[in-house]
């Protein structure tokens, strides 16, 4: 073991990403024993519509289905307002910066991307990665844009280039809006940056959670308008 690694382990104990209890550096999953049980229980949840677990659930919000004829995916189920491990991870992802949390979520998106590309025989070697950025106010408040960091870690795992395409000029959080309002709000929230060359490009569009799919839908529409070829949306979680 390198000196740097020994020092890190001695002075910066690794913490469970859910309860912050100290855990072993050598274990694979970033959870303590009891949080691991909760995480696994969450993976056993079945979709109320198709009856499959998250890995095999074929239900996508309408806004996402329309983007690329349902070639889209998500990692785990998300139930707003419940205190599930996924909700706590999403909360940390957004507000309490920890690289291990971001990497954990990015890795789940990565696994889904590989599975999706295999299923549809997609050669992703010339794809780029992009994301819908957070509002400027949120980035200022929390000190980072979790969507950007998530996309960055995902791009690293895939060996692809991350490109910034959008600017978020919105003022209202999607969270507080109804399904109808979300589409209009998303449409007025995102603008394309100047001087982009997107003609013929294929992109993974990465985000934390899909709810109605409004944000992903609006962003994909803008990419397509600029001549993008294939757009594949993948998120860490999907609202059940
Ligand atoms: Zn824990
Ligand atoms: Zn389903």
């Amino acid at each position: 073991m390198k000196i740097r690694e020994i020092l890190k382990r001695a002075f910066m104990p690794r913490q469970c990403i859910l309860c912050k209890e100290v855990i072993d550096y050598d274990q694979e999953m970033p959870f303590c024993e009891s949080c691991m049980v909760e995480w696994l229980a969450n993976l056993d949840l079945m979709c109320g519509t198709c009856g499959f677990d998250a890995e095999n659930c074929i239900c996508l919000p309408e806004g996402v289905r329309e983007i690329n004829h349902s070639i889209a995916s998500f990692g785990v189920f998300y139930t707003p307002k419940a205190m599930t491990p996924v909700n706590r991870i999403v909360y940390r992802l957004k507000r309490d910066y920890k690289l291990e949390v971001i990497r954990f979520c990015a890795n789940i998106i990565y696994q889904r991307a590989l599975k999706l590309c295999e299923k549809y025989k997609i050669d992703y070697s010339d794809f780029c990665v992009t994301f819908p950025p957070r509002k400027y106010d949120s980035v200022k408040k929390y000190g980072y844009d979790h969507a950007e960091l998530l996309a960055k870690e995902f791009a690293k795992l895939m060996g692809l280039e991350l490109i910034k395409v959008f600017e978020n000029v919105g003022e209202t959080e999607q969270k507080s809006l109804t399904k109808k309002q979300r589409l209009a709000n998303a449409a007025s929230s995102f603008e394309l940056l100047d001087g982009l060359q997107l003609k013929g490009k294929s992109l993974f569009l990465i985000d934390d959670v899909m709810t109605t799919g409004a944000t992903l839908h609006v962003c994909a529409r803008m990419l397509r308008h600029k001549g993008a070829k294939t757009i594949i949306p993948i998120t860490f979680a999907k609202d059940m």
Side-chain angles (χ1 to χ4, degrees):
M1 205 185 292
K2 283 189 182 135
I3 294 273
R4 217 179 116 201
E5 187 62 22
I6 294 169
L7 289 174
K8 188 175 115 189
R9 290 184 179 207
F11 294 104
M12 286 173 45
R14 187 182 182 206
Q15 293 174 325
C16 166
I17 63 169
L18 285 177
C19 70
K20 301 191 180 179
E21 184 182 300
V22 174
I23 56 168
D24 201 285
Y25 264 104
D26 294 319
Q27 71 184 58
E28 193 193 328
M29 298 293 273
F31 302 114
C32 70
E33 257 175 62
S34 60
C35 291
M36 187 68 200
V37 172
E38 275 192 68
W39 170 256
L40 292 175
N42 200 93
L43 296 186
D44 286 339
L45 289 176
M46 297 295 170
C47 170
T49 310
C50 71
F52 291 122
D53 61 4
E55 194 177 345
N56 298 294
C57 169
I58 45 168
C59 317
L60 294 164
E62 197 185 337
V64 174
R65 272 203 320 263
E66 285 167 358
I67 296 173
N68 193 15
H69 316 292
S70 295
I71 302 181
S73 192
F74 64 93
V76 286
F77 289 131
Y78 176 76
T79 36
K81 295 185 186 121
M83 275 307 279
T84 69
V86 173
N87 293 52
R88 281 145 67 204
I89 291 170
V90 169
Y91 183 90
R92 280 209 78 181
L93 192 63
K94 290 180 190 219
R95 295 157 185 259
D96 184 9
Y97 174 80
K98 181 88 188 162
L99 186 58
E100 188 160 19
V101 176
I102 292 158
R103 286 193 171 149
F104 176 76
C105 299
N107 190 49
I108 286 183
I109 299 174
Y110 168 64
Q111 302 299 338
R112 287 294 185 267
L114 294 184
K115 205 183 150 197
L116 199 68
C117 290
E118 194 188 300
K119 183 176 170 190
Y120 292 101
K121 310 251 177 306
I122 296 166
D123 173 11
Y124 61 83
S125 57
D126 64 344
F127 273 55
C128 289
V129 178
T130 197
F131 59 94
R134 296 303 110 179
K135 289 193 305 130
Y136 177 70
D137 282 358
S138 306
V139 178
K140 218 168 94 180
K141 186 170 170 190
Y142 301 112
Y144 63 102
D145 180 344
H146 69 279
E148 179 176 3
L149 297 181
L150 204 54
K152 187 177 153 192
E153 291 301 321
F154 169 76
K156 260 194 234 170
L157 290 165
M158 297 289 283
L160 301 173
E161 186 194 355
L162 174 75
I163 53 168
K164 279 193 193 185
V165 170
F166 304 103
E167 187 177 3
N168 191 333
V169 294
E171 282 171 7
T172 315
E173 288 281 4
Q174 288 288 78
K175 217 178 153 184
S176 58
L177 304 174
T178 64
K179 193 178 167 184
K180 241 185 174 168
Q181 289 168 329
R182 278 173 182 250
L183 200 59
N185 185 54
S188 64
S189 289
F190 296 100
E191 283 180 4
L192 286 163
L193 297 171
D194 292 333
L196 294 165
Q197 289 298 333
L198 296 174
K199 205 166 170 54
K201 264 198 164 54
S202 294
L203 304 107
F204 285 107
L205 184 56
I206 302 301
D207 205 0
D208 56 350
V209 180
M210 55 171 92
T211 305
T212 63
T215 298
L216 295 167
H217 182 86
V218 162
C219 290
R221 202 168 56 192
M222 291 169 88
L223 293 171
R224 191 142 292 146
H225 195 72
K226 271 278 185 179
K229 195 167 74 181
T230 307
I231 301 148
I232 300 184
I234 311 182
T235 60
F236 167 63
K238 184 193 79 159
D239 193 333
M240 273 186 118

